[in-house]
């Protein structure tokens, strides 16, 4: 076999593999979502999110109402300085539950955060008998690209995402009904903190029976609420060991 036919043979052998890789890459990129085609069953819930036999209600799937930033182009050049489109941002302290420090967010994302806080409050009442005093975040607005997808603008670049590291609880209020107080372990009647980094994978004690359950029940409920966030990332997604990332991208991605 001469050198030319060897090259041709090598090309024929490699070309289909390369094509398959390119197709796979193109298909695995973020895909836009169609708000009208929303599933009506709880089929978006990761199977291993809650322990088998979980008795608390996780809720029902809601419809996606559409979003004011859906039209905004997220594709950017893979290298060079990132320029973030101007969107109307507001400083927000939290209405239902306060953030430990005010967040700087796109005006319509604030409405999504209000709904998020309501789910946090309800889930905390179900598990601990009270809402947390503070939501601990580690960032909202930050003009940058997506680490794993350098040709896409991060939702943080348009103040349309939040990173949540945990929740700070105060002591059980005096007026708490006796049955709830009795059902609350002593350790959890005083102030405590819940953190993704420590409690998402907790294996024993109240960290397992309450904190892990709280974080996972909250995540499950948020996955089913299509009217709040579309992208929900957690410890199983690279770079998210210590926080949830929530945003309203024009596509859906759930990896907790
Ligand atoms: Zn994030």
């Amino acid at each position: 076999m001469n050198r030319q036919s060897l090259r041709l043979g090598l090309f024929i052998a490699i070309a289909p593999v390369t094509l398959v890789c390119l197709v796979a890459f193109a298909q695995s990129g973020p895909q836009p979502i169609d708000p009208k085609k929303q599933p009506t069953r709880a089929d978006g819930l990761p199977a291993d999110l809650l322990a088998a036999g979980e008795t608390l209600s996780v809720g029902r799937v809601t419809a996606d109402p559409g979003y004011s930033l859906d039209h905004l182009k997220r594709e950017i050049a893979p290298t060079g300085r990132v320029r973030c489109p101007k969107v109307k941002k507001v400083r927000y302290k939290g209405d239902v539950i306060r953030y430990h420090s005010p967040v700087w967010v796109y005006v319509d994302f604030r409405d999504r955060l209000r709904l998020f806080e309501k789910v946090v409050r309800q889930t905390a009442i179900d598990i601990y008998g009270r809402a947390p005093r503070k939501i601990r975040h580690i960032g909202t607005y930050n003009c940058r690209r997506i680490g794993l997808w350098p040709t896409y603008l991060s939702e943080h670049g348009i103040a349309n995402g939040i990173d949540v590291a945990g929740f700070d609880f105060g002591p059980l209020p005096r007026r708490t009904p006796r049955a709830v107080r009795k059902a609350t372990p002593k350790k959890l009647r005083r102030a405590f903190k819940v953190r993704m980094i420590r409690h998402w994978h907790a294996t024993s004690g109240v960290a397992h029976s309450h904190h892990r359950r709280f974080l996972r029940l909250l995540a499950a409920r948020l996955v089913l609420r299509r009217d709040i966030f579309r992208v929900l990332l957690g410890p199983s997604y690279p770079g998210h060991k210590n926080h949830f990332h929530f945003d309203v991208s024009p596509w859906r991605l759930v990896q907790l």
Side-chain angles (χ1 to χ4, degrees):
M1 199 186 276
N2 63 27
R3 190 175 284 185
Q4 203 171 3
S5 59
L6 189 70
R7 268 198 211 133
L8 186 68
L10 203 65
F11 174 77
I12 291 167
I14 291 175
V17 177
T18 313
L19 189 67
V20 166
C21 288
L22 283 176
V23 169
F25 180 79
Q27 284 178 344
S28 58
Q31 302 290 315
I33 66 158
D34 179 354
K36 287 176 217 121
K37 280 190 198 163
Q38 285 299 299
T40 50
R41 295 180 298 118
D43 53 1
L45 202 63
D48 58 348
L49 201 54
L50 293 167
E54 179 61 71
T55 50
L56 282 166
S57 137
V58 289
R60 277 183 299 137
V61 179
T62 48
D64 190 313
Y67 192 60
S68 54
L69 291 181
D70 281 351
H71 67 282
L72 195 90
K73 196 169 152 260
R74 278 19 181 229
E75 289 91 342
I76 52 168
T79 54
R81 199 177 142 231
V82 180
R83 283 173 208 280
C84 291
K86 281 212 167 78
V87 295
K88 190 179 182 219
K89 298 181 206 65
V90 289
R91 188 173 176 271
Y92 177 57
K93 292 179 179 175
D95 279 345
V96 183
I97 303 170
R98 290 285 168 115
Y99 296 85
H100 81 278
S101 70
V103 292
W104 193 237
V105 291
Y106 170 59
V107 63
D108 289 349
F109 192 69
R110 176 183 56 188
D111 299 339
R112 299 299 179 105
L113 287 181
R114 278 197 193 103
L115 297 175
F116 162 63
E117 292 154 27
K118 284 183 184 172
V119 179
V120 171
R121 180 179 61 187
Q122 187 55 55
T123 307
I125 290 171
D126 290 345
I127 301 283
Y128 301 111
R130 67 217 190 254
R133 275 192 177 158
K134 299 265 165 69
I135 296 173
R136 189 143 294 255
H137 71 90
I138 52 172
T140 49
Y141 175 57
N142 179 8
C143 182
R144 60 175 176 83
R145 58 184 86 241
I146 302 179
L148 287 177
W149 298 98
T151 56
Y152 286 90
L153 183 70
S154 164
E155 292 304 297
H156 288 296
I158 43 176
N160 197 35
I162 188 168
D163 292 332
V164 175
F167 305 87
D168 297 349
F169 287 78
L172 201 61
R174 287 234 172 108
R175 293 164 300 170
T176 303
R178 189 182 286 183
V180 175
R181 182 171 288 276
K182 258 183 106 180
T184 307
K186 260 194 188 146
K187 266 188 183 175
L188 300 179
R189 292 179 200 166
R190 46 183 192 253
F192 60 89
K193 294 178 186 349
V194 180
R195 292 291 180 266
M196 290 294 288
I197 188 80
R198 287 205 298 273
H199 302 131
W200 181 259
H201 291 295
T203 53
S204 63
V206 293
H208 177 260
S209 64
H210 286 70
H211 303 337
R212 181 182 194 272
R213 194 153 158 250
F214 166 69
L215 292 172
R216 286 166 185 257
L217 185 63
L218 173 65
R221 286 177 173 175
L222 292 171
V223 169
L224 299 185
R225 287 289 299 262
R226 303 293 172 104
D227 57 336
I228 307 180
F229 304 122
R230 290 175 180 165
V231 171
L232 303 98
L233 307 176
S236 78
Y237 193 81
H240 290 69
K241 269 200 177 76
N242 65 345
H243 68 280
F244 284 126
H245 165 99
F246 301 130
D247 73 47
V248 193
S249 293
W251 48 77
R252 185 159 176 87
L253 176 63
V254 174
Q255 195 174 330
L256 293 153

